[in-house]
Amino acid sequence: MFCGIGGFHAALSQLGHECVFACDIDESAANVYETNFGIRPSRDIRECTNLPDFEILCAGFPCQPFSKSGSQEGFGDETRGTLFHEIMRIVRESDPSILFLENVPNLERHDEGNTYRVIRGAIEEAGYRFWSEVLSPHKFGTPQIRKRLFMVGIRDDLCCEEEFSFPKESNERTDVRDILDPRDVVGDQYDLTPRQIEVIDTWGQFIKALPANSRPPSPTWSQEFGRRYPLEEIHPISTQKVRVKDLKSVLHEEGQPVPESRFRKDAVSLFPPYIQSSKTQLPDWKKNFIKKNREFWEEISHHLEPGWLEKVRGFKHTYQKFEWQVGDSVRDIWSHMIQLRPSGIRVKKSDYIPALVAIAQVPIVGWQKRRMTPKECARAQDFDVDGLKGTTFHLDTSDSSAYKQLGNAVNVKVTGLIMEEIEQYLQGDTQ
């Protein structure tokens, strides 16, 4: 169910299991699945009936809000209207031996744990023992941090007295270079734009200029460098309670340009975006971040070249935030992995990449000044795009679709390791 491009299929087929049915509403993902496995996925899980016999149900299901209304039908009623309910409908109709599910780690905490409680309760009520564990490929030798909640349900009549155990982490050394292609075989379409290079270069000047014993706040908000607007009286600035005259006075005292316009929006626009959008008084955590960044600027501003701050203020707001997550490693921004995120520019060590996501946040190989290719991202998900295990896995011909599909996929190696543990458990080998 929700097969995507086939992470579960790739993992289980390597262990000798045969897939008899697949389903996904995303047509481009279904095309990739059919290309690789010869099965055309059905589109809508709600229309999946009269399925062939099967023993294992796999699903990386969407986590939609669970209804709390109605309790007449127990857990079955609580899941009604969600796609998880459709999984349980199929379970009740087909009575498979094994349920193998995957979702984001936050599922355990969602709605104060209610969502996880409902899922576990529904599975146990259907006649299965239930286990779950958060695992990530970077703990098993693949250079990607991708923490995911894996859930295993085994039908009661197949269970032994012992508990099921998830695979033990190997904690092998990982390095992004292990999954990269040589620079000379990567097309120039993955090169950074001149503007992106300028932005990263500018932040590179910042990190190099800092004294050896100085670390920037995490995150670094350059919008607060040199600012002095009060953090109490004038917030929220977007409401009529704060006069435009007072906002202009604050801007004047800060040395900021003061608009001649009488319109509130023109004065508000000269404050950082997170101040503009605030609808309430600033929370303490935000005030603390602001204070730390202002104090940091006062300490280190004289180390930077004149005009550096003015240049950064010319960047779009996303590029005015910075996260240095490599500690005391080499202070050369181009020596590390970089990500251009909605929350800012993030720099990380080359041990592993952050979790691939289904939006345009493709990791950047700093020392090559380019984005990772879809093929390299597929290796981070352990798809056999090089044919090392016999059959080459083919990605979507559209890079943007391939990135999205890989960001939605389950990791093949971790999935396979869990399935091996399930097999051993069913064989009575729980050591």
Side-chain angles (χ1 to χ4, degrees), residues 38-94:
I39 296 176
R40 182 66 192 178
S42 298
R43 283 185 58 79
D44 193 338
I45 189 174
R46 299 177 184 88
E47 298 173 2
C48 293
T49 56
N50 299 318
L51 301 184
D53 291 338
F54 66 94
E55 294 297 327
I56 308 171
L57 186 150
C58 302
F61 62 98
C63 177
Q64 297 181 349
F66 279 61
S67 172
K68 297 180 183 178
S69 62
S71 58
Q72 295 88 342
E73 299 181 52
F75 290 111
D77 186 64
E78 289 185 275
T79 64
R80 192 170 307 283
T82 69
L83 293 177
F84 178 73
H85 172 74
E86 296 299 323
I87 292 176
M88 295 312 299
R89 171 184 62 80
I90 292 171
V91 169
R92 289 188 291 271
E93 291 172 356
S94 303

Side-chain angles (χ1 to χ4, degrees), residues 79-369:
T79 64
R80 192 170 307 283
T82 69
L83 293 177
F84 178 73
H85 172 74
E86 296 299 323
I87 292 176
M88 295 312 299
R89 171 184 62 80
I90 292 171
V91 169
R92 289 188 291 271
E93 291 172 356
S94 303
D95 197 30
S97 301
I98 300 163
L99 309 183
F100 191 178
L101 312 177
E102 179 261 8
N103 215 292
V104 295
N106 191 56
L107 180 69
E108 288 184 297
R109 301 181 296 276
H110 181 260
D111 191 21
E112 299 182 344
N114 180 64
T115 299
Y116 179 78
R117 177 187 63 80
V118 169
I119 289 172
R120 176 170 190 156
I123 291 172
E124 290 177 338
E125 190 175 84
Y128 295 80
R129 287 183 68 184
F130 177 92
W131 297 271
S132 69
E133 189 79 34
V134 174
L135 300 174
S136 172
H138 81 287
K139 295 292 188 179
F140 297 91
T142 296
Q144 181 194 184
I145 291 184
R146 186 181 186 81
K147 294 181 180 180
R148 288 296 184 271
L149 176 68
F150 291 93
M151 293 163 277
V152 171
I154 299 178
R155 206 172 60 212
D156 287 339
D157 62 300
L158 300 174
C159 291
C160 56
E161 293 182 3
E162 288 78 9
E163 293 293 317
F164 169 76
S165 297
F166 284 85
K168 293 180 174 60
E169 298 173 346
S170 63
N171 290 313
E172 304 167 48
R173 179 200 66 85
T174 62
D175 193 319
V176 174
R177 291 170 180 81
D178 294 340
I179 61 172
L180 298 181
D181 286 316
R183 183 66 179 92
D184 58 1
V185 304
V186 176
D188 57 12
Q189 69 267 35
Y190 301 103
D191 291 351
L192 299 181
T193 67
R195 182 59 167 172
Q196 289 171 332
I197 291 176
E198 178 188 16
V199 167
I200 296 172
D201 267 336
T202 302
W203 279 105
Q205 294 166 13
F206 168 81
I207 203 67
K208 276 186 176 180
L210 299 183
N213 61 348
S214 179
R215 287 190 182 184
S218 184
T220 300
W221 291 357
S222 69
Q223 294 102 322
E224 293 301 329
F225 290 176
R227 298 302 296 260
R228 299 188 302 277
Y229 62 84
L231 304 182
E232 303 290 349
E233 298 85 357
I234 64 171
H235 303 281
I237 65 173
S238 58
T239 67
Q240 299 296 327
K241 294 181 180 178
V242 182
R243 298 182 302 175
V244 175
K245 176 182 177 181
D246 294 333
L247 293 179
K248 287 185 175 183
S249 176
V250 167
L251 291 169
H252 177 73
E253 291 174 6
E254 277 195 300
Q256 300 291 331
V258 180
E260 296 182 2
S261 166
R262 297 181 179 178
F263 292 111
R264 173 178 298 275
K265 64 180 180 62
D266 294 323
V268 168
S269 68
L270 295 173
F271 290 84
Y274 45 84
I275 298 298
Q276 298 176 33
S277 61
S278 180
K279 303 298 182 185
T280 61
Q281 288 285 320
L282 299 180
D284 288 341
W285 69 264
K286 185 172 287 188
K287 287 189 285 190
N288 288 335
F289 273 143
I290 291 172
K291 290 174 182 177
K292 286 180 180 178
N293 275 277
R294 291 180 180 183
E295 292 168 359
F296 182 76
W297 178 249
E298 293 302 316
E299 294 173 5
I300 59 89
S301 58
H302 62 282
H303 291 283
L304 289 156
E305 292 290 332
W308 180 88
L309 183 55
E310 287 70 23
K311 187 173 184 179
V312 172
R313 284 182 175 160
F315 298 157
K316 63 181 183 180
H317 290 300
T318 298
Y319 293 164
Q320 293 185 43
K321 291 184 176 182
F322 182 71
E323 295 180 57
W324 179 257
Q325 296 189 357
V326 296
D328 293 325
S329 295
V330 178
R331 290 198 176 184
D332 174 9
I333 199 169
W334 294 113
S335 296
H336 305 290
M337 297 297 295
I338 306 165
Q339 225 180 355
L340 303 180
R341 301 160 51 89
S343 60
I345 300 168
R346 177 176 290 177
V347 185
K348 299 184 73 72
K349 294 180 181 180
S350 60
D351 297 0
Y352 34 69
I353 64 172
L356 297 171
V357 293
I359 54 178
Q361 294 181 19
V362 182
I364 293 169
V365 184
W367 55 96
Q368 295 187 6
K369 297 187 177 181

